[in-house]
Structures are given as structure tokens and as C-alpha cells.
Amino acid sequence: MSEEQRGVVFPAGPDGRRSTATLGRAVIADALRPVDPTGARAAEQETNWRAGYLAHVRRTVEAGLSSREAALSIAGAGLDSLHDRMRVAGPDGEQELATLRTAPAAHRLGTVELRGEAEPERELSLPYRGGRLRGDDLHRRLAAWVAAGVIEPSCAEAVYTVAEHPQWLALPDHTVAVLGAGAEMGPLTALLRWGARVAAVDLPRPALWQRVLDTARRGAGTLLVPTSADGDLASTAGADLIAGVPEVGDWLTDLPGVPVLGNYVYADGATNVRVSTAVDALTLRLAAARPDLALGFLATPTDVFAVPAEAVEFSVAAYARRPRTAKLLGRPLRTLSAGRLLTRGYLPGADPGVNDSLVPQQGPNYALAKRLQRWRAQVARAAGSTVSMNVAPPTRTRSVVKNRALAAAYAGAHRFGVEVFEPATSNVLMAALLVHDLHTGGGPAHAHPWQDEAYAAAHGGLWRSPYAPRSALGLAAVLGVAGARG
């Protein structure tokens, strides 16, 4: 059995093909059905899912705005659909995904503990443009971001709170499982610098693990590493989540401290849905064994979110005071593009507004994988679990830079009120928000799930830009390419 056919897989159709579009269309339709039957039918009848998914994904947010119950119904139905449809392939054939909750592990993972050699950092500092911001400098930068509409005021307040409680940084009595330990957007480096205990999970790739182990040695925390055999640690460390949910689940269950399951996995294309589904199955297995389990996620800014009236007002005001040149060029551009370019971000007075920052180039599999994480966060929070899910800023990660269109758009984004962050800045900022949430029970309680998602968002300015993000994306890319050539 090939690697592509092992572990969590897409369901096979009557013709034997495992269609990602069929799965995505069905899950979005099932999610909408309890609240928006018309929207469900529209999703089911979408003939070109690769190009047409944007409107249907947006509808899963809009349909849930009527009430808390509606939002949770959509999230629950979407999760149920995915778990009912996805399969687990093994030597004895295919089984339901639910079998992973209780399936025995094929082998037991060992544990190697590695302690860092540095002293833990006892003050929150943020790397930014070649320096490190702390104290008053950090406060001024956060205030400047708020004034520019780059982060929500609640984000600055949460980071202020962590800076005032530096003893929180080491997360005493916790063990943070970082799934996707080698991910650029993960908190592993920051947590180890602060002296935390981290359980690292990633694929068994020696080069990746050598980098993770070097990070641990330079840090001040404790790294717990899963191993499959004796020998060189970089060569024996790691586990494949897609095919190893029972093994990873048993390993995490036995670790000390209050468990935190941090989901920072990413893969290209359809594999992203497979690994995200595997993590969700792992979440259910671990939650059954450890009722005190807390969850951590990063929400992508290139998605659809409901945003507070304050953000709408900021955007409307920015649109009204845009430069005269932008006003003169805007009307003909909108006319020539049939209304697709430089449209206003929101209708004035919208409360909440809907920010649609989906990027077509990222594709429906990426959107579904991130939707799955948001749905799990909503359902788990409603059930009483501590959940940290925060919107991360646009960031120049390798996965973004290798996409030419996205890289160009990010290079020109500053012309439209959007700040794109470097990975080092994003990592520490988002790790600080994780620390805040774990020490405050997931942050303040809100009446509706959209408000939980909007709290402490570091969206880079996408929510408060004068323009609807996709209507400026193409121009940002053109300007970004021109700037790079210049």
C-alpha cells in the first residue's frame, strides 16, 4: 500500500476515484443544511468546486450569524459530515474514521527528553525589523498597530496582560503538544525560549528534526520527542499523523502536566485535509482520555470572518478619506472590472460586518482544512474546554513565498493598509496570545462564536482596509511585482 493510500484518506466514489472536490462540496452542503437548506442545495449543485467554492464557504459564516445556536449547528454538522465521510485505510481494508478513537496502537512510541542550555527569558520581547521590542517600546508598537488598524485593540490588550505577567511565559504545569513542530508559524521556538515543556510531533524527517533539536538545545525549556527506535535521535524521531493517530494519541495521553494540543499542521493540496482530519480524530481520542485537554489553533487571516462594528467603521472612514488619486482611479477600475476592483470593504453601519479575505489561489482544500479547525474550536469551547484560537497576521512563510501570485500580492499589500509580518514576529506574537488564553480560560466569554474568533485578532489590516481584500489583491500583486523589479 502506497503512502498516499495509507491512514486517513478521502472516500472512494463509484468509479474508485478519491475526489477532493466531491468531499468538500458534500461537507459544506451538510454543514449548511440544518440552518440554510437553500445554501446547502446551492453548494451541492456547484459544478466547478475549484473555482466556485468561495461563495459557499462564505455562506457558512453568514448563515451562522443569526444566533449562537445556528453557528454551532453549522459547526457540528460540518464536523459530523467530515467524520462520517472520511475513511481510514490499512492492511485489512478501509474502516470508518471513528475507529481511530479506540483503535489499538500498532507499536509504542518511546520518549526522549531534551533540556535547553539557556536561561529562560523572563520578559516578553517581540522581534521586529531586526530588533527586539520590550517594555515601553513593545507598548508603543502595539499601540501603533491598533492605530493603523493592523490588529484589533483586544489583541494589544491581551499582549499587554502577558507582558505584565512574565511568570506566565513558562506555562508552569502544562505540556504543550506542538503538532507540526517544524512549522514556520508554530510556537515551538518561543515556548522553549520561555522555559515551557513542549511535546513535539512532526513527520520522521531527519533534517527537520535536527533543526527542532538544535532549537531545543539553544532554548531554556524541555522538549519531549517521540521516537520509534534506539539510535541517532534525529533519525528515529517523529510520527506520521495521517497513519499514526493511535500511536501518537497513546504517547500524548501518558505525558505529564495539563495537556494542550496545539494544531499547527500544514501540507499542500489534498494532504492538508487528510492531516487536519487526522488531527481532529486525534483530538477526540485524546479528549476522551484527558478531560482537562486544552486546544490551540491559529486561524488564517485569508478566510471569511464576521467582524465587529468598530472595524467596519474604521474601514468606512478609511474609504472616505482615501487619496484623491485613488478616488479618481477607483471608479473607472470598478467599471472596467464589472465591480470587482477596489470596492469598499463594508456597507456602512454593518454590525457585524463580513470580511471575505479568501484567496482563490489557496484553493478549496486549504479552506476546508481551516474550516475544520474553526468548527472544532467552536464546538469544544461551547462544551466547556479551554480553547485558544487566534487570527494570525499575513506572514511571509515559505508556503506563501513559493506561490508567485501570493508573494506578489503580499509585496504590494502595504499600499492598501495591510502589513505583512515576518515569521519571527508572527511566531512570538501568536505564542504570547496562546499563553494569555491558557492563563485566562480561553479569554473572555462571548455571546456568539464569531465574537470569540474576532477577539484578539491580528489580521494585519485585512479587516480594516478601505477595500474588500479580494478587490485589491490583483492590484497589490501588480504593484508588488513592479516594486520587486524596481
Side-chain angles (χ1 to χ4, degrees):
M1 180 178 292
S2 69
E3 291 293 322
E4 290 76 14
Q5 297 172 324
R6 206 165 55 90
V8 177
V9 294
F10 287 84
D15 58 358
R17 293 178 59 249
R18 301 186 188 276
S19 169
T20 62
T22 299
L23 184 279
R25 184 188 299 113
V27 170
I28 295 298
D30 287 344
L32 286 168
R33 190 165 288 110
V35 174
D36 182 5
T38 302
R41 285 193 298 274
E44 288 175 321
Q45 293 167 6
E46 178 62 64
T47 56
N48 185 356
W49 189 250
R50 179 65 182 82
Y53 76 95
L54 299 166
H56 307 293
V57 170
R58 175 176 176 136
R59 200 151 179 168
T60 63
V61 174
E62 292 175 325
L65 292 180
S66 60
S67 68
R68 169 185 170 86
E69 291 71 26
L72 293 175
S73 292
I74 290 170
L79 291 170
D80 288 345
S81 177
L82 194 84
H83 279 260
D84 288 344
R85 294 174 184 278
M86 292 293 277
R87 310 292 291 174
V88 182
D92 300 324
E94 292 187 12
Q95 297 177 302
E96 295 180 355
L97 189 68
T99 60
L100 292 179
R101 300 184 197 181
T102 56
H107 60 273
R108 186 173 180 82
L109 293 170
T111 304
V112 172
E113 183 177 301
L114 191 64
R115 294 181 180 271
E117 300 167 354
E119 286 295 314
E121 295 183 3
R122 305 194 185 281
E123 180 184 24
L124 177 62
S125 66
L126 185 70
Y128 187 68
R129 296 183 176 177
R132 292 195 77 88
L133 305 177
R134 50 174 55 86
D136 291 342
D137 289 338
L138 175 60
H139 280 235
R140 280 191 287 270
R141 171 43 46 197
L142 292 168
W145 276 335
V146 170
V150 172
I151 63 176
E152 291 303 288
S154 52
C155 177
E157 292 165 7
V159 178
Y160 291 151
T161 302
V162 173
E164 292 168 356
H165 296 82
Q167 70 277 13
W168 286 3
L169 294 173
L171 289 174
D173 304 321
H174 290 76
T175 295
V176 182
V178 177
L179 307 182
E184 281 188 275
M185 286 296 290
L188 181 135
T189 300
L191 293 177
L192 290 175
R193 288 177 66 138
W194 296 336
R197 182 168 56 216
V198 176
V201 179
D202 213 318
L203 289 166
R205 294 176 177 169
L208 180 155
W209 280 100
Q210 191 59 62
R211 188 171 72 249
V212 170
L213 297 175
D214 289 344
T215 298
R217 293 186 183 100
R218 292 194 302 269
T222 300
L223 184 71
L224 304 177
V225 181
T227 60
S228 55
D230 295 330
D232 175 65
L233 185 54
S235 300
T236 60
D240 183 353
L241 280 167
I242 287 177
V245 167
E247 290 74 25
V248 175
D250 287 359
W251 183 70
L252 293 175
T253 297
D254 294 336
L255 296 182
V258 177
V260 182
L261 191 65
N263 184 349
Y264 308 101
V265 299
Y266 172 78
D268 289 332
T271 306
N272 201 18
V273 177
R274 293 176 66 200
V275 70
S276 294
T277 302
V279 171
D280 204 56
L282 172 66
T283 301
L284 296 180
R285 182 182 179 112
L286 194 56
R290 298 293 300 268
D292 55 344
L293 179 69
L295 303 180
F297 305 89
L298 290 182
T300 176
T302 51
D303 204 338
V304 183
F305 294 94
V307 305
E310 181 187 352
V312 173
E313 292 167 5
F314 189 106
S315 172
V316 169
Y319 186 81
R321 65 171 184 268
R322 66 198 188 283
R324 185 169 181 269
T325 303
K327 292 180 180 179
L328 291 174
L329 291 175
R331 182 169 294 176
L333 283 172
R334 284 192 296 276
T335 301
L336 291 170
S337 65
R340 289 191 295 272
L341 288 179
L342 295 186
T343 59
R344 62 164 69 244
Y346 310 93
L347 290 176
D351 184 12
V354 174
N355 178 271
D356 184 350
S357 295
L358 284 166
V359 176
Q361 291 87 343
Q362 291 182 308
N365 289 316
Y366 181 78
L368 180 60
K370 300 309 291 186
R371 187 76 25 195
L372 166 62
Q373 295 172 14
R374 287 172 63 182
W375 286 339
R376 178 57 61 197
Q378 290 177 12
V379 169
R381 185 182 282 114
S385 297
T386 295
V387 175
S388 174
M389 169 156 250
N390 296 297
V391 178
T395 304
R396 291 185 184 87
T397 60
R398 286 187 295 271
S399 64
V400 166
V401 172
K402 73 181 182 182
N403 184 310
R404 291 182 181 179
L406 271 178
Y410 274 18
H414 64 282
R415 298 174 184 271
F416 298 94
V418 176
E419 179 169 344
V420 178
F421 283 47
E422 295 301 324
T425 303
S426 290
N427 290 347
V428 176
L429 179 66
M430 303 316 293
L433 293 176
L434 172 66
V435 166
H436 171 271
D437 293 344
L438 293 177
H439 282 286
T440 59
H446 297 99
H448 195 288
W450 79 257
Q451 296 167 311
D452 293 321
E453 293 183 333
Y455 176 78
H459 45 73
L462 287 168
W463 291 10
R464 293 178 175 237
S465 167
Y467 305 105
R470 242 188 347 270
S471 78
L473 181 66
L475 288 177
V478 170
L479 295 170
V481 169
R485 286 175 178 169

